Amino acid sequence: MSEVQPGNFVIIHYRGWLDDMTEFCNTYESGEPVELWIGGHEYLPALEQALIGMRPGEVKQLRLNAEQAYGHYVPQLVFTVPIEKVPPGSLPELGERRRVVVNKEDGVEVTVVRTTRAMVVVDGNHPLVDRFLNFQ
């Protein structure tokens, strides 16, 4: 392959970090590159777009603002679940990420932000919402 084009499948290694240098992903460390379909919307569209035109072995650095990454915080994505709706024996812990079924087919990742004897409060916003993201 000469240059990455829309519709191509590519295998990439990348590292992602926040402005304070906190790393949130590193495929070099894990040793597991990512296979990505350009235009498949499996990853951030701005990240896919940045790969177009690159050649094998080329390295690029990219900085995405919140709009290009995971957007801005949406208060309506924080909701309370009555404790009776939590399956027995599976009370989540504070900070835990869980996949919950919204309707019979679709699921969404949420973070547990509060628990009491009567309820669990979960946040459906992505953990990296409202952040600038850096990639290489």
Side-chain angles (χ1 to χ4, degrees), residues 14-60:
Y14 72 94
R15 183 173 79 87
W17 68 96
L18 303 174
D19 285 346
D20 67 1
M21 301 307 291
T22 301
E23 199 170 79
F24 58 85
C25 184
N26 187 337
T27 64
Y28 297 101
E29 254 182 32
S30 70
E32 296 182 26
V34 172
E35 185 173 348
L36 181 63
W37 173 35
I38 304 300
H41 308 292
E42 298 170 345
Y43 282 80
L44 300 170
L47 179 59
E48 289 184 20
Q49 190 65 37
L51 296 172
I52 294 173
M54 290 184 70
R55 296 182 174 277
E58 185 178 345
V59 176
K60 184 185 273 189

Side-chain angles (χ1 to χ4, degrees), residues 93-105:
E93 295 192 24
L94 192 63
E96 184 179 341
R97 295 273 303 155
R98 284 215 178 166
R99 184 163 193 80
V100 296
V101 176
V102 176
N103 59 41
K104 292 183 180 161
E105 297 173 14

Side-chain angles (χ1 to χ4, degrees), residues 80-86 91 114-121:
T80 301
V81 179
I83 203 73
E84 313 73 71
K85 299 282 185 182
V86 177
L91 186 63
R114 185 169 175 226
T115 60
T116 70
R117 291 181 180 188
M119 67 179 175
V120 176
V121 180

Side-chain angles (χ1 to χ4, degrees), residues 67-89:
E67 291 83 10
Q68 296 169 303
Y70 294 103
H72 293 288
Y73 187 81
V74 179
Q76 294 84 356
L77 294 178
V78 178
F79 52 98
T80 301
V81 179
I83 203 73
E84 313 73 71
K85 299 282 185 182
V86 177

